[in-house]
Amino acid sequence: MNFDPRYSGRSFSSVGTRPIRPDGVDKVTGRARYGADFNMAGQLVGRVLRSPHAHAVIRKIDTSKAEKLAGVKAVITAADLPDLTDGDAAMYDILDNCMARKKALYDGHAVAAVAAIDARTARQALKLIEVDYEVLPHVTDVDEAMKHSAPLINDAIFTEGLEEKPVKPSNVYKRTQYGHGDVHQGFAEADMIVERSFKTEQTHQGYIEPHACVASVNPDGTADLWVCTQGHFVYRQHCAQLLGLEASKLRVTSSEIGGGFGGKTHVWAEPVALALSRKAGRPVKLVMTRDEVFRASGPTSATSIDVKIGARNDGTITAAEATLRYSCGPYAGMWAEIGAMTAFACYKLENVKTVGYEVLVNRPKTAAYRAPSAPMAAFAVESAVDELAKDIGMDPVDFRIKNAAQEGTRASYGPVYGPIGIGPTLEAVKNHPHMKAPLKQNQGRGMACGFWFNFGGQTCTDLNIGMDGSVSLAVGTVDVGGSRASLSLVAAEELGIDYSQVKAVVADTSSLGYNDMTDGSRGTFSSSMATISAARNAIKVLRERAAQMWDIPVDDVVWEKGHAVAKGEKHGNLGKLSLKEIAAQSGKTGGPIAGHSELVADGAGVSFATHICDIEVDPETGSTRVIRYTVVQDAGKAVHPTYVEGQYQGGAAQGIGWALNEEYIYGKDGRLQNPGFLDYRIPVCSDLPMIDTQILEIPNPNHPYGVRGVGETSIVPPLAAIANAVSNAVGVRMTHIPMSPPRILAALEAEREG
């Protein structure tokens, strides 16, 4: 059946309501099973030995003593994970990150692993493994790593994206550039120019549930993996390739997920668990400690960014330029490229240029974190925009409204925008009561805009109708933000039945066709599109069955509000048939009734948000307190408004922690000093105000309901909005995130001395 994804402008009965979440009771009562909650008969305990050095050659690993320890069933090193990547550089990096081969590249890099009958024996076995290291010089700072004198991390890296191919390796993996127009001419036309440099420190997603899995490799070559993940189909592909398994023989089941935010889009310990199980011949359970999560799973990039923006006295931006340096860990990445694409995406610019540099450092392999790379770029750009507005004497909101991108604007990263929400969010902020509320002494107000692309991708969904009229919806996108409730609403909407009749489940990789990772805010967008398609296919079958029951042509049957209706005066004697009535007779009319859909969801629709923040700063201690926060964001169509508001609030809360407290702190020895929630401080309830939200709905023309992804954009503006608020409160431009009390005091002291 051909599926038309275009926006239809329909009215809704189920979509847009706020039913109770289907997973809520299980989660609050402890019945929901997360990664560490699953067990298999005869399972062993897996543990990983990690490098204590930031950079070191692995001369030799002696596992003989560990292998002889009673209760140890398997010990593996890189030799047990041979290179099967066939020249695929990205897969080789994943392999090397899972188990160090020639060198340990960061503090916490895995070098060996054991499987034993219990945790105590496994820990004892790790102590018996002897590793001979040759410690090398290291570099953990992104700016230091770019210097010619910096220790070389990977001698196979020659900077890509340069006009001439370099003859020497370096720590810069790639240079990328975006933009259009002539920035030199644009700056020449400017009456006022702001030019500043900014830094952001590395942060972790802060998910509460650590990485955990149970792996079982069977003698016949089949295997099972239970895992907390944002994408079990991708995990299947990666694990199968790394271990030389047939993907069809590896079944991956996703558990409930206790937070991911991009950090569970990469395999870390899963190939290790599978390799241990294969060698031991028994299931292996491997759960990371919190220390391991911080030291050895993927945080976001640390950055160093230069921004230059020029404008005329009437407030028109004439040119904008940014150079962005993002750390990748010790492997190739594309994080600076994403930052370069998003940096000026909110604005209509005639002359714009962004350059990104991917920089290798001796830190863990960088992973996505909710709109990866965009918050740092927005921090730098929106800080400079605020300062420029002040210098030319314009209100910061009015300045942004004047320069905001519109439908038909060519984005700074290339495409031409369709209907977008940046203008409406700014107008909503301008008229919001928050912007008019009075401030007290030592308080400041800031605002900022943010952008995210949103993605679609490969999606597959099954919809099955039971004989009792219940509907089972099997999806392949992991529910990380309430998608099961939203998709149930969508199915109910299409079928014309009550939400309570629909139950959505996340199917394992052997039960459903391939689905891409739940990232890029694609979960509800793509799976709702597939659900609509599957439901419409099921409705076609329902119409056919009703026609059979009535003995009339199927073309004379329409579907209205959950019922088959015979159209035309000649069928006036036929009453309606409900979905439940048709389903009850399915055994006599052709068997089970179902709808299936597989599609590539294109046209995800970009997303924009504008945030307002009020903050109070103690000038004597530098301590801060967020006293009010408001999020205004375009959702396209809010399928489940409560979940949408939760996404807005969650992104803002994470942004508040990032802006004020959170950072990786490395010592001179290259070791992480704060690998735990005691010293790496994420916000708690007492740190946060009630976060107000306003949902705007500018329909996405490429989705039947107008849906846009909402999960990531909300973390983009907070760093800048809070920085602008702090800067206004203390009268000094803050350029280094997080704005911890010592940094605020240092900025005040520098201002007094300057």
Side-chain angles (χ1 to χ4, degrees):
M1 180 178 178
N2 293 329
F3 175 67
D4 184 358
R6 291 175 296 179
Y7 176 62
S8 60
R10 62 181 288 174
S11 59
F12 299 99
S13 56
S14 294
V15 166
T17 61
R18 300 172 182 260
I20 294 174
R21 57 188 299 166
D23 55 337
V25 172
D26 283 350
K27 287 182 174 178
V28 300
T29 57
R31 288 199 298 265
R33 292 201 299 175
Y34 292 86
D37 292 330
F38 185 74
N39 296 288
M40 296 183 73
Q43 76 182 19
L44 303 171
V45 175
R47 289 289 187 271
V48 178
L49 181 67
R50 301 187 180 277
S51 168
H53 306 294
H55 195 196
V57 173
I58 302 172
R59 289 173 170 167
K60 182 182 178 182
I61 302 179
D62 184 352
T63 62
S64 58
K65 293 180 181 178
E67 291 167 351
K68 294 175 183 177
L69 181 66
V72 172
K73 302 302 180 181
V75 181
I76 66 168
T77 64
D80 298 282
L81 283 166
D83 181 9
L84 304 175
T85 60
D86 194 26
D88 185 330
M91 287 304 299
Y92 181 83
D93 285 351
I94 295 172
L95 176 67
D96 188 73
N97 187 57
C98 288
M99 188 65 69
R101 314 186 85 69
K102 299 176 183 178
K103 292 200 298 183
L105 296 172
Y106 56 89
D107 167 41
H109 199 168
V111 296
V114 303
I117 58 173
D118 55 38
R120 181 176 178 275
T121 304
R123 288 193 298 268
Q124 188 178 354
L126 291 184
K127 295 177 181 178
L128 295 175
I129 298 174
E130 299 175 358
V131 185
D132 181 12
Y133 294 103
E134 178 189 343
V135 179
L136 301 174
H138 63 270
V139 59
T140 58
D141 179 78
V142 65
D143 287 321
E144 292 296 320
M146 291 189 70
K147 295 179 179 179
H148 294 297
S149 58
L152 187 64
I153 296 172
N154 186 340
D155 58 12
I157 294 293
F158 292 80
T159 306
E160 298 179 8
L162 302 178
E163 291 184 4
E164 295 184 10
K165 185 176 180 179
V167 295
K168 292 183 178 181
S170 80
N171 291 330
V172 179
Y173 161 64
K174 189 177 183 180
R175 178 192 184 274
T176 52
Q177 181 174 320
Y178 289 89
H180 53 257
D182 185 340
V183 291
H184 296 294
Q185 180 62 33
F187 285 123
E189 296 172 3
D191 296 311
M192 188 70 66
I193 294 175
V194 166
E195 188 170 7
R196 279 198 182 269
S197 295
F198 301 86
K199 284 185 78 77
T200 69
E201 297 300 329
Q202 192 165 50
T203 54
H204 197 272
Q205 299 86 352
Y207 38 81
I208 302 303
E209 180 198 22
H211 297 270
C213 66
V214 179
S216 179
V217 179
N218 305 311
D220 63 358
T222 61
D224 285 277
L225 180 67
W226 165 279
V227 61
C228 56
T229 173
Q230 291 179 237
H232 48 317
F233 288 90
V234 175
Y235 273 40
R236 179 187 65 176
Q237 298 299 107
H238 286 180
C239 289
Q241 184 174 349
L242 295 179
L243 277 87
L245 303 172
E246 291 183 36
S248 62
K249 292 185 176 181
L250 173 59
R251 181 177 63 180
V252 182
T253 304
S254 62
S255 69
E256 290 287 351
I257 185 168
F261 315 111
K264 292 176 181 172
T265 58
H266 303 246
V267 295
W268 308 104
E270 296 77 16
V272 174
L274 284 163
L276 285 168
S277 175
R278 179 166 61 184
K279 192 166 186 177
R282 288 168 61 176
V284 174
K285 184 174 189 175
L286 203 163
V287 181
M288 279 189 173
T289 64
R290 184 63 59 188
D291 178 277
E292 289 179 300
V293 169
F294 274 99
R295 293 172 62 214
S297 69
T300 190
S301 299
T303 73
S304 172
I305 303 173
D306 304 324
V307 174
K308 182 180 180 181
I309 308 177
R312 298 190 185 97
N313 287 329
D314 68 356
T316 303
I317 295 177
T318 60
E321 186 174 19
T323 301
L324 308 97
R325 298 166 289 273
Y326 282 54
S327 67
C328 301
Y331 303 103
M334 58 177 294
W335 311 111
E337 181 173 5
I338 298 173
M341 294 172 75
T342 63
F344 294 108
C346 292
Y347 299 106
K348 177 176 60 179
L349 302 171
E350 295 294 328
N351 306 293
V352 58
K353 176 183 176 182
T354 57
V355 177
Y357 292 95
E358 317 290 348
V359 185
L360 274 62
V361 294
N362 293 117
R363 295 190 182 209
K365 178 177 168 53
T366 298
Y369 180 12
R370 205 170 189 164
S373 302
M376 303 84 114
F379 160 60
V381 168
E382 291 293 299
S383 294
V385 165
D386 230 53
E387 188 172 0
L388 185 56
K390 182 178 180 180
D391 287 349
I392 64 174
M394 279 189 73
D395 176 83
V397 180
D398 291 334
F399 182 74
R400 287 173 171 85
I401 290 173
K402 184 177 181 66
N403 293 285
Q406 305 166 354
E407 183 174 358
T409 293
R410 183 184 177 190
S412 57
Y413 63 98
V416 175
Y417 289 136
I420 56 174
I422 181 62
T425 67
L426 283 164
E427 293 290 348
V429 161
K430 180 178 175 65
N431 297 313
H432 199 282
H434 186 166
M435 288 300 289
K436 301 175 177 64
L439 293 170
K440 298 178 181 179
Q441 187 177 5
N442 297 324
Q443 294 180 351
R445 174 169 297 140
M447 53 81 58
C449 301
F451 159 90
W452 186 242
F453 309 96
N454 292 333
F455 302 122
Q458 299 178 75
T459 313
C460 183
T461 297
D462 274 338
L463 186 150
N464 292 277
I465 300 175
M467 293 185 70
D468 60 354
S470 63
V471 175
S472 175
L473 183 65
V475 301
T477 44
V478 175
D479 183 356
V480 298
S483 60
R484 279 171 293 189
S486 298
L487 298 175
S488 296
L489 284 170
V490 169
E493 186 71 52
E494 282 295 318
L495 295 171
I497 60 177
D498 189 76
Y499 166 82
S500 62
Q501 292 177 246
V502 184
K503 180 177 178 59
V505 296
V506 180
D508 65 53
T509 58
S510 295
S511 304
L512 197 64
Y514 181 83
N515 280 260
D516 279 329
M517 186 78 66
T518 301
D519 62 1
S521 299
R522 67 172 296 272
T524 297
F525 167 78
S526 62
S527 280
S528 66
M529 192 179 289
T531 298
I532 293 168
S533 175
R536 291 177 182 177
N537 289 336
I539 288 171
K540 181 175 182 292
V541 178
L542 287 164
R543 289 176 51 239
E544 291 170 350
R545 300 298 178 84
Q548 185 177 342
M549 292 167 68
W550 282 327
D551 194 22
I552 65 174
V554 69
D555 289 342
D556 290 352
V557 180
V558 295
W559 191 260
E560 295 178 351
K561 298 180 179 178
H563 294 77
V565 179
K567 63 180 181 179
E569 294 182 3
K570 59 183 176 180
H571 302 310
N573 62 325
L574 297 176
K576 298 178 180 179
L577 284 174
S578 69
L579 179 147
K580 186 174 183 178
E581 290 171 327
I582 298 170
Q585 298 299 314
S586 60
K588 301 176 182 178
T589 59
I593 299 173
H596 179 79
S597 175
E598 61 282 318
L599 50 79
V600 177
D602 292 324
V606 296
S607 176
F608 293 91
T610 303
H611 291 198
I612 318 166
C613 174
D614 291 354
I615 201 160
E616 185 173 278
V617 182
D618 186 328
E620 294 185 0
T621 65
S623 66
T624 55
R625 183 171 67 94
V626 179
I627 54 178
R628 187 171 182 180
Y629 202 100
T630 300
V631 176
V632 181
Q633 185 174 323
D634 170 25
K637 176 61 185 178
V639 177
H640 192 305
T642 301
Y643 275 118
V644 172
E645 291 164 351
Q647 290 294 317
Y648 291 2
Q649 292 164 334
Q654 288 179 311
I656 289 170
W658 191 344
L660 298 176
N661 295 306
E662 297 179 40
E663 65 176 309
Y664 270 36
I665 299 173
Y666 279 86
K668 292 182 179 180
D669 58 358
R671 303 200 67 185
L672 184 61
Q673 303 297 300
N674 58 333
F677 285 140
L678 182 63
D679 296 312
Y680 180 96
R681 191 172 180 278
I682 63 173
V684 296
C685 289
S686 58
D687 295 315
L688 300 171
M690 294 299 293
I691 297 171
D692 297 323
T693 62
Q694 183 175 345
I695 299 172
L696 303 185
E697 295 185 326
I698 294 86
N700 174 11
N702 302 307
H703 187 282
Y705 294 178
V707 169
R708 300 177 190 266
V710 300
E712 293 176 282
T713 312
S714 54
I715 202 173
V716 181
L719 275 63
I722 296 165
N724 288 333
V726 172
S727 299
N728 291 332
V730 300
V732 178
R733 173 53 54 184
M734 301 300 298
T735 61
H736 195 162
I737 294 289
M739 293 169 289
S740 56
R743 287 204 178 101
I744 291 175
L745 291 177
L748 290 171
E749 182 64 25
E751 180 73 9
R752 284 193 291 267
E753 293 177 354

